[in-house]
Amino acid sequence: MKKFFHCIFSLLFITSYAFAQDKYPIITIKNGSSIERADVLVSIPWTKILKADPKIDTAKFLVMNKYTETEVPHQLEYKGEKEVQNLLLQVSVKAKEHLTLIIFAAKPKAVTPKTYARYVPERKDDFAWENDKIAFRMYGKALEKTSEDAYGIDVWVKRTSKLVINDRYKKNDYHKDHGDGLDYYSVGFTLGAGGMAPYVKDSVRYSGNYKTSKVLDNGPLRSSFQLTYDEWDAAGIKVKVTKTISIDAGSQLNRIENLYTFSAQGKNLPVAIGLSTRNENEKKLLLDKNGILGYWEPVHGDDGITGVGAVTLNSLKSATAQSKQALGITEVKNNVPYVYYAGAAWNKAGKITNENEWFSYLQKYQNELKSPLKVSVK
């Protein structure tokens, strides 16, 4: 009987909005692959939504799954612009199946923020960001030439879906686990958890720390930001870079887009994607020239184990382990963005607990990139 009344209520609900709108957009999301997608973000150009419903009110619409009659979490993505660029939807789609979603003119439920990013002037120009799985930071100019200076991407491990960055900086005791994780990852003078730098004359040519930052979007489902760097000399090549980084709810990896400009005219610039390694004799590494780098660190006392990794759709020229880091060597074109994905996982978070699970995650991530969900709007 309860199920009967629920169906009647849902039918009346949908019908009432159908009469309230002359036309409502229908979104179809198809998963043609054999990989189940769970809580992933789908990006739909806002121009497609406007074409289907030119009068849509950005402050008053919700997206509903036609068959389950449940609301789908969404975010309007601006990418630093004044106008909406994309509609982001968090969905799950089984292998070889599809979703049918309907947009209604109604007030949506508030979405609990699952991502966050900010400049941290109170901690020597850090820039920190996180999602419901993991957290990261990059170092700014105020840290240069100090005893704490480091080059690459730092990791803050966590075992809570709550956002922790502000609380940890406020307490200023984040090197100790107070129940939700900590910062024990060591970057040093390496690329850390998937940083990139020019690789010229068989050496990594590091930049200084970032100079300026700009938040482009800040949750609830995706946070993105941009970092700019001063020009530096990479063994005779003058180089500048702008890094655009985004993190999605539910993902262990960041999307990193690097735009290099350099003085070597008519040539591509060799670059390295790096993962900081430790001093153990036999390292647990995945070095795949098809575009996957993975490393599972040794246990760090009571702090646990961190895995770091990087994924690209481009083949690597080489993938090697050096004394302090594993490197994947590729190249970038002058003033052409290069996109790859990098991040980390912590065994004490309980989702990924050993090297096999971490390497499988990275391989699955690349396979998902090769077979994106297909979206149509009408």
Side-chain angles (χ1 to χ4, degrees), residues 72-134:
V72 177
H74 77 266
Q75 175 185 330
L76 296 176
E77 184 181 33
Y78 288 83
K79 302 184 78 170
E81 304 294 334
K82 292 182 179 180
E83 302 295 330
V84 179
Q85 302 298 303
N86 297 301
L87 172 63
L88 304 178
L89 302 174
Q90 188 176 39
V91 299
S92 296
V93 193
K94 293 182 179 180
K96 302 294 183 179
E97 293 192 5
H98 72 277
L99 299 178
T100 301
L101 311 178
I102 303 174
I103 295 181
F104 291 117
K107 187 175 181 179
K109 294 179 182 177
V111 179
T112 300
K114 297 180 180 179
T115 67
Y116 181 66
R118 80 169 175 100
Y119 167 57
V120 190
E122 68 269 30
R123 221 305 293 196
K124 297 182 179 179
D125 292 345
D126 282 359
F127 195 97
W129 68 102
E130 66 179 314
N131 66 1
D132 50 343
K133 302 294 183 182
I134 195 79

Side-chain angles (χ1 to χ4, degrees), residues 143-360:
L143 203 70
E144 284 188 353
K145 298 179 181 179
T146 72
S147 61
E148 299 176 281
D149 196 11
Y151 293 153
I153 300 174
D154 190 24
V155 180
W156 282 14
V157 294
K158 53 191 284 189
R159 54 166 166 249
T160 175
S161 60
K162 296 180 180 179
L163 302 178
V164 302
I165 283 175
N166 284 339
D167 184 59
R168 288 188 185 179
Y169 275 114
K170 184 177 180 180
K171 290 179 178 178
N172 195 27
D173 189 25
Y174 45 81
H175 294 292
K176 181 179 180 180
D177 187 354
H178 294 281
D180 62 8
L182 73 160
D183 169 29
Y184 79 89
Y185 183 77
S186 178
V187 178
F189 298 132
T190 73
L191 291 167
M196 175 186 280
Y199 189 76
V200 183
K201 297 180 181 179
D202 297 325
S203 294
V204 179
R205 306 295 174 172
Y206 297 99
S207 67
N209 293 339
Y210 83 86
K211 181 180 182 181
T212 67
S213 65
K214 179 183 179 181
V215 175
L216 306 178
D217 289 281
N218 216 350
L221 301 175
R222 172 179 291 169
S223 291
S224 58
F225 58 94
Q226 201 166 73
L227 303 177
T228 63
Y229 292 73
D230 285 330
E231 183 179 80
W232 75 101
D233 188 299
I237 303 173
K238 299 296 183 181
V239 179
K240 293 186 72 175
V241 67
T242 298
K243 300 176 183 285
T244 303
I245 300 173
S246 64
I247 190 166
D248 289 355
S251 179
Q252 303 290 154
L253 305 186
N254 304 286
R255 181 187 187 274
I256 303 176
E257 179 180 301
N258 289 340
L259 181 65
Y260 282 93
T261 56
F262 46 89
S263 61
Q265 299 298 322
K267 298 181 180 180
N268 294 336
L269 177 68
V271 294
I273 302 169
L275 306 176
S276 178
T277 59
R278 308 310 169 205
N279 296 321
E280 71 273 34
N281 292 327
E282 295 185 7
K283 296 179 173 64
K284 296 176 180 178
L285 286 166
L286 171 62
L287 301 175
D288 186 345
K289 289 176 63 177
N290 290 318
I292 305 174
L293 301 175
Y295 173 55
W296 190 253
E297 293 190 327
V299 64
H300 191 267
D302 292 336
D303 297 331
I305 305 170
T306 297
V308 290
V311 172
T312 175
L313 285 175
N314 302 298
S315 297
L316 302 170
K317 288 192 170 183
S318 64
T320 60
Q322 298 189 346
S323 59
K324 294 184 178 181
Q325 57 188 336
L327 299 177
I329 310 302
T330 183
E331 59 183 22
V332 296
K333 296 179 180 179
N334 205 341
N335 207 35
V336 177
Y338 183 97
V339 176
Y340 70 104
Y341 303 80
W346 187 38
N347 73 318
K348 295 181 78 171
K351 179 181 178 182
I352 297 170
T353 60
N354 57 62
E355 68 271 22
N356 292 330
E357 291 175 350
W358 178 230
F359 296 160
S360 294

